[in-house]
Amino acid sequence: MDHSPLTVDYLGCAGRVTLPCDGTPVDYACVPYTAFPERRVPDSPMYLRQWTRPGTGATVQPAHSTDRTHLALGGTLTGMLDNALVDRITATLRSGRYPELAGLPGDLVGCLITDDRAFLFRSLFTRNTLFYKQSGNMLEWSSDPADLVPDALDRLDRQTIWRICRGDSLVAYPELGLLRPGHLMVFDGVSAKVIQYDRITPKPLPRGSTPRDYADRAWELLLAATRPYAHVGHIGLLLSGGLDSSAVAAALAANGAEVTAYHLGTDDPLADESGYAREVCRHLSIPFVPIMTDTGAGHVSEDWRFSHPYNHTGFRWLEQIVQRVRADGVQLLTWGRDGDLLFSPAPDYGVRDVLWGRLSWAEKSLMLRGLLCSRWTLDALLRSVRRSYSLAIDASAFGDHTRQPDFLVPMPGVPFELPDPEFVPEEQITDLALSWPHGVQFCSPMADRGLYELATGMPRAYRCIPYGGRNIDKPVLRLMLEDRLPPMIWRRHGRLWLGSPHENFCLNHPEAFTALLGPDSRLARMNIVDPERLAAVLGHPSSTRRNAESLICAAMTELFLRSLESRTSHSVRS
């Protein structure tokens, strides 16, 4: 395994190509990333832009190997981009040996332009993606979807925007394609063919292995995954104090990484996790930097600009984090993002996972007795023998998502879909609107092939063990941390009321939503927000609290619509 340091200079890319080439040269340049809407799409009929971290200037060179092939990358690269790696990527794509892309050193997204073809590719674990659209023999793509839809306001789908205001995780531009992890697209001027070149191959431990065996192996893999971070200088860790980020902290410390933990604190005792995060840092002897979350009037700012709706409640808090880590000279910000996907109960968890899992009879007997003592009814347990019923996700788990927000114009029958882990809007827009303009990259050490191969091969019943009337989630992760962190961390059960701070903001600042979502708002003009219903919701504290998450999602969507309008005026000024 390569333990070279990570290179984070390459953020993303954008381009346009018409094939077959008629001799028109490709306008190719390496340019520091500029946030929307200041960034302008080139007028060139054939162009490629490699976005780099602001401040890198001429120190980052374009990655093309000849005048007739042009390569641009994004993501985190293990080691340095040299001519040998450029030639390797070029030869792999041109020869059609696509599975070899899985062996590239890092988590990358990229594009290659040749005389007769254009290739877009995305590795299995990169946070970045590419959006694209085809118009005849022309293909356009970008890490930022707004680059591809110049008249977006006239082409947005009302139901899609309504669902985003509700809180659904969707792409706001239905006409655009989205490159999925482990896929590439080949465009030859006639058609665009999407090919899956990489996937996870489950690699379970030998039959008879216990949760402790999986915990020991997971720790070895996490150590290996975090080792490159020990060679990049000062890095940051977004530390909540939960199991996932605490596990990353322990592995980074074990590898001797120069890491500082940043924790979002709150003066709301219902959501305060600082005691856990502080204890992790004390035990591991790493610096602890608490940052008090802003729940004042600036929690939602009319100055923000977005190229896609930011579908979450915490943009202001991430803004505080990014501003602080940038001031500290940190370029790489890690977190425990993939812990839930690796170790939490599967969405369709049920008794069937115990009955037909690769478990010993003693384990099955113990878990079945535990399930009978759990919060689930006997009827629910019997129904979960079938794959069509889930104990982990039932109707009550959807909560406010299945209910139509009280301030939106009713739209009966609009379905709710589980979030797509391959496209998380708030992560994409955090990069485009916040971290990239500050020269910071988010990176998840748990997004590691070995860990995913282990976790997908692990018996699903090991993700949740019912015992003593409680459901112990992430038991493998808890066992991993048992002798590495204090008991108050790995024995922690249940969650605090993490929604309390943003609910309190909504209660204390109704005027912000009146200004953003009132009769003159773009959402009201689209007949999505009902101003009378909005006034009724903001006039009753219980209604405000119940609709808090959707209120913030709608406010951020309104800022997105205003951003699209501001792009037009910005282009005129330019």
Side-chain angles (χ1 to χ4, degrees):
M1 182 174 293
D2 191 345
H3 298 146
S4 303
L6 299 174
T7 297
V8 296
D9 291 332
Y10 302 98
L11 301 181
C13 57
R16 178 192 300 129
V17 65
T18 300
L19 295 177
C21 292
D22 59 0
T24 302
V26 175
D27 174 11
Y28 182 26
C30 245
V31 296
Y33 178 79
T34 304
F36 179 89
E38 284 76 14
R39 187 184 61 259
R40 297 187 62 189
V41 175
D43 297 328
S44 310
M46 301 265 286
Y47 80 89
L48 181 60
R49 289 292 179 268
Q50 169 71 74
W51 297 334
T52 63
R53 285 190 306 105
T56 54
T59 62
V60 178
Q61 297 299 319
H64 63 291
S65 54
T66 71
D67 291 337
R68 304 182 69 85
T69 60
H70 306 270
L71 175 69
L73 298 174
T76 52
L77 176 68
T78 304
M80 299 298 296
L81 183 66
D82 54 18
N83 289 335
L85 180 57
V86 171
D87 292 341
R88 174 184 168 188
I89 296 173
T90 302
T92 298
L93 290 169
R94 298 190 71 170
S95 64
R97 304 192 306 270
Y98 304 136
E100 294 181 15
L101 291 172
L104 291 180
D107 298 326
L108 301 171
V109 65
C111 56
L112 177 74
I113 300 174
T114 69
D115 285 340
D116 58 349
R117 285 174 295 174
F119 304 86
L120 310 180
F121 62 92
R122 179 184 178 185
S123 70
L124 205 55
F125 302 105
T126 184
R127 172 188 173 105
N128 204 340
T129 189
L130 289 175
F131 300 87
Y132 61 87
K133 69 175 181 179
Q134 179 188 355
S135 302
N137 63 342
M138 181 176 69
L139 180 71
E140 297 178 86
W141 64 92
S142 178
S143 300
D144 188 338
D147 288 345
L148 308 178
V149 190
D151 54 349
L153 274 176
D154 298 328
R155 303 167 78 164
L156 296 176
D157 177 73
R158 177 175 175 267
Q159 179 173 300
T160 298
I161 299 302
W162 187 97
R163 292 179 62 188
I164 290 173
C165 290
R166 179 174 66 178
D168 294 15
S169 295
L170 302 172
V171 179
Y173 308 97
E175 66 189 273
L176 299 184
L178 169 69
L179 198 61
R180 298 286 176 178
H183 286 69
L184 66 88
M185 191 245 278
V186 184
F187 177 65
D188 61 5
V190 177
S191 62
K193 183 178 181 180
V194 177
I195 302 166
Q196 183 172 8
Y197 70 87
D198 192 13
R199 67 186 72 211
I200 295 295
T201 302
K203 292 185 178 179
L205 295 180
R207 184 177 291 274
S209 298
T210 65
R212 168 68 68 183
D213 296 324
Y214 278 94
D216 292 343
R217 180 57 179 155
W219 175 249
E220 295 172 0
L221 292 169
L222 184 58
L223 278 178
T226 53
R227 201 157 290 133
Y229 296 83
H231 306 288
V232 296
H234 192 193
I235 63 173
L237 169 66
L238 192 54
L239 179 67
S240 67
L243 294 172
D244 306 328
S245 57
S246 297
V248 173
L252 289 170
N255 278 314
E258 183 186 353
V259 58
T260 295
Y262 296 90
H263 174 75
L264 283 167
T266 175
D267 56 6
D268 188 338
L270 297 174
D272 182 20
E273 297 183 289
S274 61
Y276 298 100
R278 195 182 301 273
E279 181 63 15
V280 169
C281 292
R282 184 202 63 78
H283 186 83
L284 299 175
S285 299
I286 61 178
F288 174 71
V289 179
I291 300 174
M292 292 302 294
T293 54
D294 180 2
T295 55
H299 185 67
V300 174
S301 172
E302 296 191 32
D303 294 332
W304 290 338
R305 295 290 178 265
F306 302 107
S307 56
H308 190 282
Y310 180 88
N311 208 21
H312 201 262
T313 59
F315 185 83
R316 171 56 183 150
W317 303 336
L318 284 175
E319 183 179 52
Q320 291 179 269
I321 288 283
V322 169
Q323 289 172 345
R324 175 58 191 267
V325 302
R326 190 67 186 114
D328 291 346
V330 171
Q331 299 174 0
L332 193 62
L333 189 58
T334 61
W335 57 339
R337 187 254 191 218
D338 287 66
D340 284 338
L341 297 173
L342 289 165
F343 299 107
S344 284
D348 58 349
Y349 171 77
V351 170
R352 59 190 164 270
D353 294 322
V354 176
L355 290 176
W356 293 292
R358 296 173 69 248
L359 312 174
S360 68
W361 286 109
E363 287 177 318
K364 291 183 180 183
S365 175
L366 182 63
M367 289 189 188
L368 288 173
R369 292 200 302 269
L371 284 169
L372 288 172
C373 298
S374 67
R375 63 180 175 85
W376 290 304
T377 65
L378 180 60
D379 177 66
L381 294 173
L382 291 175
R383 292 171 65 187
S384 74
V385 173
R386 303 188 306 273
R387 182 64 63 187
S388 58
Y389 185 83
S390 170
L391 293 174
I393 299 180
D394 54 25
S396 63
F398 290 130
D400 289 347
H401 288 294
T402 52
R403 180 186 54 78
Q404 302 206 13
D406 299 328
F407 62 94
L408 298 184
V409 174
M411 193 175 287
V414 177
F416 173 77
E417 299 175 9
L418 289 175
D420 181 357
E422 296 180 355
F423 173 68
V424 184
E426 59 265 27
E427 292 184 7
Q428 187 81 12
I429 303 310
T430 296
D431 287 340
L432 296 173
L434 186 57
S435 61
W436 289 2
H438 284 83
V440 175
Q441 278 222 53
F442 278 83
C443 190
S444 173
M446 284 188 172
D448 173 76
R449 182 180 299 275
L451 282 169
Y452 268 91
E453 290 175 342
L454 180 74
T456 54
M458 180 176 68
R460 289 156 55 98
Y462 286 173
R463 292 170 174 259
C464 179
I465 295 180
Y467 179 77
R470 289 167 49 178
N471 301 312
I472 310 301
D473 67 315
K474 302 182 181 178
V476 169
L477 197 55
R478 294 176 190 273
L479 287 170
M480 179 201 299
L481 300 177
E482 184 178 21
D483 56 356
R484 297 181 175 93
L485 287 175
M488 68 174 291
I489 306 302
W490 58 267
R491 285 181 177 170
R492 180 179 176 185
H493 184 75
R495 295 179 62 85
L496 301 176
W497 188 6
L498 300 182
S500 180
H502 72 255
E503 291 180 16
N504 289 337
F505 164 74
C506 295
L507 288 170
N508 296 329
H509 298 279
E511 72 284 350
F513 298 100
T514 301
L516 278 171
L517 303 176
D520 295 331
S521 68
R522 284 74 177 161
L523 287 171
R525 295 178 204 166
M526 294 177 68
N527 197 31
I528 292 176
V529 168
D530 184 327
E532 293 184 2
R533 289 171 175 263
L534 176 67
V537 166
L538 296 176
H540 295 85
S542 60
S543 295
T544 302
R545 187 178 291 279
R546 186 173 64 250
N547 287 273
E549 183 173 344
S550 295
L551 280 168
I552 295 179
C553 287
M556 302 299 273
T557 304
E558 173 67 19
L559 293 175
F560 157 69
L561 296 174
R562 295 186 184 190
S563 299
L564 297 184
E565 284 190 345
S566 72
R567 176 172 62 179
T568 302
S569 61
H570 177 81
S571 298
V572 171
R573 290 195 305 271
S574 298

